[in-house]
Structures are given as C-alpha cells and as structure tokens.
Amino acid sequence: MPKYTVTPGTLVPSTPFYYYDFDLLRRTLDAATTEAAKYGYHIHYAMKANVEPRILREIQCAGLGADCVSGYEVQCAVENGFPPEKIVFAGVGKSDREIEGAIRAGIFAFNCESLQELEVIDALAARLGRRVNIALRINPNVRPETHKYISTGQAESKFGISYTEIDQALGKLHSLNHIRIVGLHFHIGSQIRNLSSFAELAGRVNEIAAWFASRGVELEHLNMGGGLGIDYEDPDAEPVPDFAGYFRTFHEHLRVAPGQTVHFELGRSIVAQCGELITRVLYTKTTAGGANFAITDAGMTELIRPALYGAHHRIENLTAGTEERAMGLYSIAGPICESSDVFARDIEFPESRRGDVLSIRSTGAYGSIMASNYNMRPIAPSRFSDKLN
Ligand SMILES: *Cc1c(COP(=O)(O)O)cnc(C)c1O
C-alpha cells in the first residue's frame, strides 16, 4: 500500500500519526542517486529534514552521506551508520562542545560560517592534536524565489561568510595551522522550484572559485548545498522531484576543475513527498461570517510549517473520498491555543464530519522533526507503508 487510504469498515489507528510511503522513498532515492551518478556528484542527506531511524537507514543504505547542522545531528548520523568521512557540519552557531565532538568523530569537513569560527575550530583542533578539513561557507548574494524565512543566500542573511570577506578569510587561513581548506560551501535557500536560481548560483561559484584558483588555492570540493523544491500543490503530479533537471543545471553551468568533487545537501526533495500527516476531524462549526471550520486532532505541534511560514500543504478528506459529498469552503484548523494554528483557509473541500480521516500531504520533510510538546501534547507516532510498525 503506497499512499494512505481509508477503506470503509476498517479501523484507522489512533490519530494523529505520521505515515511514510517507503516505496516512494526508495523510488526517490533511486532517482536522486541515478541522476547524481551521471556526473559523479555526491549527495549528503540534510538530517534536519527528518531523522526517523527507519528513514535514515534507507537513506544511508542508498549510499548518501549526511549534512548536519548541529553536533547532535552529527552524533545521530554516526549512530545511524553514516560513515564519518561522508559527514559535513554547517551552522552559524556551532558551540565548542559540538565542534570538539565532530572533530573526535572524524567528520569529513566543517562548513565554516564566520572568520571567528575559523579561529575557534583551529584552537580546538590544536588542543586535540588534530588537523581538520574546513570548507568556507560563502554567502554568494543570490536571491532565490522562495519564502524569505527559508532564503539564506542573500547579502543581509545571517548565514555564511560574506563574499566581501573572502580576502580576509584567506589571509587568516595562512596563519591557522590546524585547519586545512578543502572546499567552498554554498546554500542559498530551500523550496526553490525555479532552476534558474541554481544556474545563477553556479555562475557565482565559478567566479569565486576562479578567485581562489588565482591565489593558488586548490579546492578539492565544491558543495552546492540543497534547496531543490517539491510540488506541494499537487504531490501526485510530481511525486519524485526533478533531480534530472536539477543536476543537469549544475552540469551545464558549474565549472569543475580536474580532480574536484561536487557535493550536494538535499533534504526536502528526498523525504517530503513520502510523508503524510493523518488526522481526524474532531468538530465542525460555522462562524458568524458563514465560514466553515473543520477542527482536527493534529495541529501546529505536529506540523508547524503553515503557522511558521504560511506554507501550503494539500489536504484530502480520505473518508469523504469513499462517498459522494457536496463541496464547500472550509478552513482546516488544529486544536492548539494559537490563532496561527490553521493548516488551510477557505479551501474548496468536501463537506466534512466529525470522525472523518484527513491526510495532510507532503509532510515528510520539516514535519515530525519540528514537532513540539506545546499544550503538553505527546509527540505523534510514525507508521510505515510496509507495515513493519
Ligand atoms: C537546510 C539545509 C539544507 C537542506 O535544504 P533542503 O531545502 O531541505 O534541501 C542543506 N544545507 C544546509 C546548510 C541547510 O541548512
């Protein structure tokens, strides 16, 4: 059984729960690795999208490395079998403890986000008697067409070392003996559907890499980050994201020097479409203004993206899907005591009743991982299509 379905007369488990379609996850991983392999590209899975152990195992078995943004993610990646030499560690605020832990784990490279961080990593590496690989995360000042909260590569963003500071960074690297620059790292944002943003990124990377080459710095790797978007409007139209177009864009626009490896950090595009949040309608009501509300037993505690950045998720009434029902305008809202706890406003939706089972689609990335205990709610469980629950 791939997508979650409700069959009349059969019991649906206690809600809410996350549901993962493993067949789709495998097809997605297969497409991503096949397309990347055409150009010899390496993929690191962005752990922050989802750390469900069964999903991590699947991803790790497909041969992906890990991209971590905290020391806890580094530890989680190691514990789940990702080889340390395939782990990269980014983040604007790495603590000393997190850095030490990652040095001890022997990760492939730190993606460094400030000049000060270079000094701190150098000092900690010296204390541990190690020499560690670093890549400079450079803010290329590329502005992708996506939500401002998930855009990270424009000049005023907190992420990365400004392209105006790379001269200074290079000067510093000459005097720091316990770090070794192996590459450059970029990540311009997330949910980017227009591939021309990636072409623009590749163009900027070419300029910056040429600048380093002209100063005699040999870069062993170029890391383009992640950000490939998915179809939230119509997940069934594009269940597997356009990895072919994504990697081809880089192949066509990115200049790669002999011996240089190219790395990517994909999160959302790997896991988003295989996940659904299954919830029940608890109550329905009509406001004085005549608007219909369906109140569900899942809320922003299970899926915060709509409340956090106005994200759109397709919602389906699975129970109504088995019957003939009139359509109406509905807002679908959770039970949390926050006005922002609304999944969708005034959408065309089948007449909904108490007990109906709904699916909120495309929730495999940045869903369960952002769950909270707000209102003292327990974390919802996960269920899997291959029934090994
Ligand atoms: C979030 C993040 C990613 C993954 O982004 P997606 O849009 O989920 O592919 C990759 N690299 C870094 C540094 C990140 O912070």
Side-chain angles (χ1 to χ4, degrees):
M1 184 173 71
K3 260 192 319 185
Y4 197 77
T5 44
V6 166
T7 317
T10 61
L11 214 61
V12 172
S14 162
T15 48
F17 60 88
Y18 301 100
Y19 174 82
Y20 296 105
D21 174 353
F22 264 59
D23 177 59
L24 180 55
L25 174 62
R26 290 182 188 124
R27 279 193 288 136
T28 306
L29 283 166
D30 190 51
T33 52
T34 303
E35 294 303 327
K38 286 183 182 168
Y39 315 109
Y41 293 163
H42 302 262
I43 310 175
H44 303 257
Y45 168 63
M47 300 277 291
K48 75 175 192 283
N50 191 316
V51 293
E52 169 60 48
R54 286 208 55 208
I55 292 180
L56 290 184
R57 208 166 311 140
E58 206 64 40
I59 292 172
Q60 183 258 314
C61 288
L64 278 69
D67 160 47
C68 303
V69 289
S70 77
Y72 308 94
E73 285 188 2
V74 171
Q75 192 182 336
C76 175
V78 172
E79 283 168 6
N80 281 279
F82 287 90
E85 65 275 13
K86 284 190 185 177
I87 298 177
V88 291
F89 181 11
V92 282
K94 304 176 188 78
S95 73
D96 294 18
R97 262 190 66 191
E98 289 176 297
I99 293 168
E100 275 176 8
I103 294 175
R104 286 207 170 89
I107 64 163
F108 172 57
F110 288 84
N111 293 330
C112 294
E113 309 220 10
S114 67
L115 300 181
Q116 204 169 29
E117 186 189 330
L118 295 174
E119 293 171 1
V120 171
I121 294 180
D122 183 72
L124 293 171
R127 207 158 75 198
L128 294 173
R130 305 279 272 270
R131 189 151 189 259
V132 302
N133 291 344
I134 63 110
L136 294 178
R137 176 173 181 174
I138 295 173
N139 182 327
N141 195 18
V142 169
R143 193 177 299 272
E145 288 169 32
T146 189
H147 192 280
K148 66 175 188 298
Y149 285 4
I150 52 175
S151 172
T152 55
Q154 70 282 50
E156 62 274 21
S157 153
K158 73 172 177 179
F159 296 99
I161 294 171
S162 163
Y163 61 94
T164 57
E165 279 181 328
I166 54 177
D167 218 346
Q168 237 180 309
L170 190 54
K172 208 172 262 310
L173 283 167
H174 289 309
S175 63
L176 301 174
N177 297 319
H178 291 86
I179 57 179
R180 189 171 81 88
I181 179 170
V182 294
L184 301 179
H185 173 236
F186 303 83
H187 174 66
I188 55 173
S190 201
Q191 185 50 22
I192 298 166
R193 297 277 289 161
N194 188 342
L195 295 179
S196 66
S197 294
F198 295 117
E200 191 187 339
L201 167 64
R204 294 285 291 137
V205 174
N206 291 341
E207 292 168 18
I208 296 167
W211 184 90
F212 277 91
S214 73
R215 277 150 188 82
V217 181
E218 214 174 290
L219 299 166
E220 294 160 30
H221 80 263
L222 298 174
N223 183 336
M224 299 294 109
L228 175 62
I230 63 143
D231 191 345
Y232 281 103
E233 296 288 331
D234 192 356
D236 295 326
E238 194 190 271
V240 177
D242 183 16
F243 295 110
Y246 175 70
F247 291 122
R248 194 187 321 116
T249 301
F250 285 98
H251 177 67
E252 285 170 0
H253 294 92
L254 182 68
R255 262 200 311 271
V256 182
Q260 218 168 36
T261 59
V262 182
H263 299 246
F264 294 87
E265 302 167 338
L266 296 174
R268 187 189 312 270
S269 52
I270 302 288
V271 291
Q273 294 295 31
C274 74
E276 297 174 62
L277 175 58
I278 307 298
T279 179
R280 273 187 173 84
V281 176
L282 292 175
Y283 302 100
T284 58
K285 60 182 178 183
T286 307
T287 65
N292 296 315
F293 266 97
I295 309 293
T296 57
D297 60 5
M300 62 194 288
T301 41
E302 286 70 44
L303 178 69
I304 201 174
R305 299 186 67 256
L308 189 61
Y309 19 68
H312 169 83
H313 284 264
R314 183 179 166 84
I315 306 177
E316 292 165 359
N317 185 324
L318 301 180
T319 308
T322 65
E323 304 167 3
E324 283 287 314
R325 296 237 193 128
M327 299 296 283
L329 276 190
Y330 275 86
S331 291
I332 317 285
I336 309 300
C337 300
E338 294 289 339
S339 298
S340 60
D341 184 30
V342 177
F343 290 124
R345 288 182 201 274
D346 297 325
I347 56 167
E348 194 72 30
F349 207 64
E351 184 209 326
S352 294
R353 301 173 190 153
R354 174 172 165 82
D356 282 356
V357 177
L358 310 188
S359 166
I360 305 180
R361 303 289 307 276
S362 317
T363 54
Y366 309 111
S368 61
I369 194 76
M370 289 193 183
S372 83
N373 295 113
Y374 188 40
N375 290 194
M376 291 190 77
R377 287 161 60 85
I379 300 295
S382 296
R383 295 179 172 276
F384 305 97
S385 58
D386 54 3
K387 298 204 171 84
L388 286 170
N389 295 329

